[in-house]
Amino acid sequence: MAEPLFRLYLITDRNQTGGRPLTDVVKEALDGGVKAVQLREKDLAIRELLRLAEEMRKITKEAEAMLFINGKVDAAMAVEADGIHLGQTDLPVDVVRRIVGNRFMIGVSTHNLNEAKEAEAGGADFITFGPVYETPLKLKYGKPVGIETLKKAKSGVTIPVYAIGGINSGNIKQILGTGADGVALISAVMGAKEPKKAVEALLEYTPSP
């Protein structure tokens, strides 16, 4: 089984920051101990996204954290990110692997066991799996998959599995009890009044890799 490189995978959403600059919120989260950030701002024009990616690359490097870019291989290459994260409507993981070789880590969003296995077979380094719990952000992906399905996904692949969807300090212990390698978080950090403290509280439940 592959060992995870991080336990908390922070996914950005500038619409949840309460008007605060996204970079400020991410900086606070990095100060709290986040070691992997996925820049996921799908509605931004590519030039705007690239400017933001450059800022994110700077602050993640300073914090010795990894940066993943959602969906945009060109932007990831331009800012020398650590990886790219693919959704089910992006280029297939095996195609991206042929493009980037071993230059990047590749994460893939999955919602069922078949997608999880396909991601692994295509050359993904890790997957996110969910939504485990109900969350407004993930309603378009269908009903929550639940704990038992998460367990099946974890036992069905050998690459790291990060649970996503409605995870917070109140249920993270249950999630990690399934054997999941870590958690992917959006609102629990992006929407927190004090992102640094929110991350620190979550990390109390997550042993270091």
Side-chain angles (χ1 to χ4, degrees):
M1 302 290 279
E3 285 294 315
L5 293 174
F6 45 85
R7 295 294 185 185
L8 296 188
Y9 186 34
L10 178 62
I11 301 173
T12 72
D13 183 352
R14 71 190 191 286
N15 296 313
Q16 292 200 46
T17 64
R20 294 168 294 175
L22 181 62
T23 48
D24 288 356
V25 174
V26 172
K27 275 183 186 176
E28 285 191 48
L30 291 166
D31 288 344
V34 162
K35 290 300 178 186
V37 177
Q38 179 196 144
L39 179 60
R40 185 184 186 277
E41 303 296 331
K42 290 189 171 186
D43 59 329
L44 283 180
I46 188 62
R47 291 193 178 188
E48 253 187 295
L49 178 69
L50 189 57
R51 281 194 292 270
L52 186 55
E54 287 170 344
E55 290 182 56
M56 287 292 172
R57 176 70 290 185
K58 181 176 183 293
I59 63 175
T60 50
K61 265 193 174 178
E62 288 171 353
E64 298 183 349
M66 302 178 78
L67 175 66
F68 293 80
I69 306 296
N70 183 280
K72 303 291 186 184
V73 178
D74 49 357
M77 295 176 77
V79 301
E80 297 183 353
D82 299 288
I84 181 144
H85 194 98
L86 303 171
Q88 291 297 314
T89 59
D90 292 322
L91 285 172
V93 63
D94 59 329
V95 173
V96 174
R97 181 57 78 196
R98 290 201 297 271
I99 294 169
V100 303
N102 293 321
R103 178 176 178 179
F104 291 143
M105 290 184 70
I106 300 177
V108 178
S109 296
T110 66
H111 314 98
N112 57 57
L113 187 54
N114 284 340
E115 290 177 358
K117 288 182 174 180
E118 284 175 9
E120 180 175 42
D125 293 290
F126 66 92
I127 59 170
T128 57
F129 190 85
V132 180
Y133 303 111
E134 188 167 313
T135 173
L137 287 175
K138 297 292 181 181
L139 285 178
K140 63 183 177 181
Y141 299 116
K143 294 180 180 179
V145 299
I147 291 292
E148 292 306 313
T149 305
L150 174 60
K151 288 180 182 177
K152 289 177 183 175
K154 176 57 186 170
S155 63
V157 297
T158 61
I159 56 177
V161 176
Y162 291 85
I164 190 170
I167 299 167
N168 54 47
S169 58
N171 57 34
I172 188 172
K173 193 173 180 180
Q174 182 184 29
I175 289 289
L176 296 175
T178 67
D181 296 279
V183 294
L185 301 161
I186 306 175
S187 56
V189 177
M190 288 285 107
K193 289 184 179 180
E194 297 180 89
K196 181 175 183 289
K197 287 186 177 179
V199 169
E200 289 171 342
L202 288 157
L203 281 172
E204 287 181 13
Y205 298 96
T206 59
S208 298

